[in-house]
Amino acid sequence: MTIVIGFEGSANKVGIGIVKDGVVLANPRRTYITPPGQGFMPSDTAKHHQACVLDVLQEALEEACIRPEDIDCVSYTKGPGMGAPLVSVAVVARTVAQLWNKPLLGVNHCIGHIEMGRLITGAKNPTVLYVSGGNTQVIAYSEHRYRIFGETIDIAVGNCLDRFARVLKISNDPSPGYNIEQMAKRGKKFIELPYTVKGMDVSFSGILSYIEDAAHKMLKAEECTPEDLCFSLQETIFAMLVEITERAMAHCNSQEVLIVGGVGCNVRLQEMMEVMCNERGAKLFATDERFCIDNGAMIAQAGWEMFRSGVTTTLDQSWITQRYRTDEVEVTWRD
């Protein structure tokens, strides 16, 4: 029996999860929400995390009905992410590990998403589409590494959606991406947008620039509605993601797709991916907002896998890094 607690705070969510041998015992989190039309600044986000992280910790321990002495390892997000929020949560994890006299473990945020997805869905060896506000990657496992087959060459898909939401002054509560998804359901007119796939990679900055400029002109001329723009943007960028995922599946001869990351709980993306999977005789695996969106349990689960394989992080190595690629981590817990 191994119990691991995980601290996540790489962006605008701070979460603490507790996992016991593949069972999520607790997974509370808090979200820093800014007014419509605004993003979140690293310093303000860090202050939010600092203000509520101890309350979240207390909530997690109470929900899991365990005491600090029951915990075997303390894991935290080492990166990638926003510097100030990462530091604010890592400091708490380091302090807790020393107070409780427990081993410490720095976890790659992307691998946390993958291991959580594998745990919840039961996917064995899937081609992974990792889509969030800070990352867009197509990943497959090979020889003790999660290999990146394709990725964005500029901004992440979630960042593209978030920034377009600011143009339309769409609410950030609960998230701009979710609100775009709801508006897109009411869209009736498809507006052709740049479609930018470069081999196995994708680009979203050009699409964003184009639709930012077109939105003001077309809305002013009443040529379309905000809902039409949300619908068109989703259809275009999700088609790009499905294309590069299918290409990676063909390369790996894979019969499973796992979608992870905050954008992964978008139902329309899941629908489009499922159509492709059905055509290939493959199976789609996806989770809902409890585990797709950044959370502490995913860090705890990845930490659980790493700790059981003998990996720990010494205190002098327990720093954070804003750039920490998925394929930098040796996956010691898989064959």
Side-chain angles (χ1 to χ4, degrees):
M1 183 183 78
T2 303
I3 299 176
V4 176
I5 187 169
F7 290 76
E8 156 61 23
S10 60
N12 69 326
K13 293 168 185 67
V14 56
I16 298 175
I18 299 174
V19 169
K20 173 185 175 183
D21 296 338
V23 178
V24 178
L25 301 180
N27 197 22
R29 68 178 166 219
R30 302 282 190 279
T31 303
Y32 175 55
I33 297 173
T34 55
Q38 296 182 24
F40 48 91
M41 298 296 290
S43 56
D44 295 334
T45 308
K47 289 174 184 174
H48 166 268
H49 292 1
Q50 291 164 356
C52 60
V53 65
L54 295 181
D55 291 335
V56 179
L57 174 57
Q58 188 64 38
E59 186 179 334
L61 292 170
E62 290 175 359
E63 186 181 330
C65 298
I66 65 167
R67 299 165 299 173
E69 50 264 37
D70 300 324
I71 291 169
D72 295 292
C73 179
V74 176
S75 59
Y76 73 97
T77 303
K78 186 173 184 177
M82 301 169 71
L86 280 169
V87 168
S88 66
V89 176
V91 166
V92 177
R94 282 198 293 260
T95 303
V96 162
Q98 292 177 84
L99 285 172
W100 296 349
N101 195 28
K102 304 293 180 182
L104 188 63
L105 192 48
V107 172
N108 180 288
H109 179 84
C110 315
I111 286 178
H113 275 295
I114 295 171
E115 294 305 334
M116 193 79 237
R118 289 180 63 230
L119 171 68
I120 297 300
T121 65
K124 302 300 181 189
N125 188 27
T127 298
V128 180
L129 175 64
Y130 170 37
V131 278
S132 69
N135 300 275
T136 300
Q137 297 176 344
V138 178
I139 302 160
Y141 174 78
S142 176
E143 297 181 350
H144 298 289
R145 299 273 171 172
Y146 281 116
R147 311 286 176 175
I148 300 171
F149 279 74
E151 59 189 320
T152 177
I153 60 174
D154 39 54
I155 62 173
V157 61
N159 186 243
C160 178
L161 291 167
D162 291 351
R163 286 165 65 177
F164 180 62
R166 291 180 217 166
V167 173
L168 297 184
K169 297 291 192 292
I170 295 172
S171 172
N172 291 324
D173 188 9
S175 72
Y178 174 82
N179 292 326
I180 285 178
E181 179 184 0
Q182 303 316 308
M183 289 178 67
K185 293 175 182 176
R186 302 190 295 273
K188 295 181 173 60
K189 179 181 178 182
F190 178 77
I191 296 140
E192 191 168 337
L193 300 171
Y195 184 97
T196 317
V197 173
K198 299 177 182 290
M200 284 299 300
D201 296 328
V202 288
S203 169
F204 297 111
S205 60
I207 301 169
L208 178 64
S209 297
Y210 181 91
I211 198 170
E212 282 179 337
D213 182 56
H216 295 297
K217 295 176 181 176
M218 296 181 76
L219 291 173
K220 189 175 182 179
E222 297 185 350
E223 295 175 12
C224 68
T225 65
E227 288 79 6
D228 293 334
L229 291 169
C230 291
F231 166 72
S232 303
L233 181 61
Q234 273 200 170
E235 294 297 302
T236 303
I237 61 179
F238 291 169
M240 292 161 55
L241 295 172
V242 171
E243 179 184 335
I244 63 170
T245 303
E246 183 174 19
R247 197 171 288 133
M249 289 177 70
H251 182 87
C252 300
N253 196 26
S254 171
Q255 292 298 303
E256 294 180 330
V257 174
L258 172 64
I259 306 178
V260 299
V263 181
C265 57
N266 187 297
V267 175
R268 180 56 185 153
L269 174 59
Q270 294 179 14
E271 289 173 353
M272 293 172 72
M273 193 67 74
E274 184 140 44
V275 170
M276 181 273 287
C277 287
N278 290 339
E279 289 175 352
R280 296 184 62 86
K283 189 171 182 182
L284 173 66
F285 295 90
T287 63
D288 58 28
E289 69 280 353
R290 293 173 299 165
F291 303 112
C292 261
I293 296 170
D294 292 350
N295 62 89
M298 72 184 204
I299 303 303
Q301 175 59 20
W304 184 88
E305 295 277 13
M306 295 169 74
F307 182 66
R308 298 261 295 185
S309 67
V311 179
T312 56
T313 302
T314 58
L315 198 62
D316 64 323
Q317 292 295 311
S318 63
W319 31 267
I320 61 97
T321 174
Q322 291 178 264
R323 288 175 173 79
Y324 189 13
R325 286 180 63 81
T326 314
D327 51 10
E328 287 181 36
V329 179
E330 184 178 5
V331 183
T332 55
W333 57 95
R334 290 190 63 178
D335 296 331

